[in-house]
Amino acid sequence: MYITLALEELSKPDGIFQDTELKGLPNGLFGYYGEHWERMGMDESDRPQIKVDILQFYRNEMRAASAAEIFKYLQQKKSNVRLNEVSLVIDEWEQFLRDEMKGGQLKHRFYHASYFDFLETKLPDEKEFYSGIIGDTLYGDSG
């Protein structure tokens, strides 16, 4: 999988490895994920919270969701987010997401389970908090 993703990025004129020689490619899949994580500024102390929130959503929900569903979830967490911001972040992460049509809606999910393993090393464990919001948002409040 890593070779496929790396070669795809090398072939794009605007790919994340456009100025990289082959010997400068990241080592293995986690290295590849880490390279992308760094290029998005996710290791910075002021990383965009919306990106963290979207990644937390996917990490905890582990199913396909539309930008509108994620937007609805984020509104529960922070009121100033806009749908186009959610869509922009999803577009930035396109190489890690798989698109699928469900119920007439374009939905996205992580391409490979190994990305969840990578996220476990990068994101704080807020599963209980997010699971409550996600369940209430997507499936209605059961309480």
Side-chain angles (χ1 to χ4, degrees):
M1 184 172 125
Y2 167 66
I3 296 294
T4 302
L5 294 171
L7 288 174
E8 185 177 304
E9 285 301 314
L10 281 168
S11 68
K12 291 180 186 175
D14 61 342
I16 63 172
F17 300 130
Q18 67 181 356
D19 297 325
T20 305
E21 294 182 26
L22 287 178
K23 64 183 177 186
L25 289 175
N27 186 13
L29 197 53
F30 267 47
Y32 174 76
Y33 293 152
E35 177 80 16
H36 193 78
W37 183 265
E38 288 174 21
R39 287 178 186 252
M40 287 187 62
M42 296 301 289
D43 274 340
E44 306 293 323
S45 60
D46 61 341
R47 64 185 174 192
Q49 187 61 43
I50 186 173
K51 291 180 180 181
V52 173
D53 293 341
I54 291 171
L55 289 173
Q56 286 282 19
F57 173 90
Y58 278 120
R59 173 181 150 207
N60 293 312
E61 185 61 17
M62 297 181 75
R63 69 165 189 85
S66 68
E69 288 172 312
I70 297 168
F71 170 68
K72 186 176 177 185
Y73 150 76
L74 289 178
Q75 283 185 313
Q76 300 244 346
K77 189 169 188 328
K78 56 192 274 186
S79 60
N80 62 344
V81 68
R82 294 186 308 267
L83 179 58
N84 70 323
E85 293 174 305
V86 173
S87 295
L88 287 172
V89 172
I90 289 171
D91 289 346
E92 281 185 47
W93 283 84
E94 73 176 321
Q95 68 191 86
F96 297 121
L97 299 174
R98 179 180 294 159
D99 296 342
E100 51 189 66
M101 290 297 291
K102 283 191 175 179
Q105 282 190 317
L106 179 61
K107 298 188 177 204
H108 316 275
R109 64 182 172 94
F110 278 113
Y111 182 77
H112 198 269
S114 65
Y115 197 69
F116 291 113
D117 296 335
F118 174 78
L119 289 178
E120 291 297 323
T121 68
K122 295 292 187 182
L123 295 173
D125 187 17
E126 299 177 10
K127 191 165 188 138
E128 250 180 66
F129 172 75
Y130 283 96
S131 293
I133 291 176
I134 292 167
D136 292 347
T137 302
L138 298 180
Y139 308 116
D141 188 359
S142 59

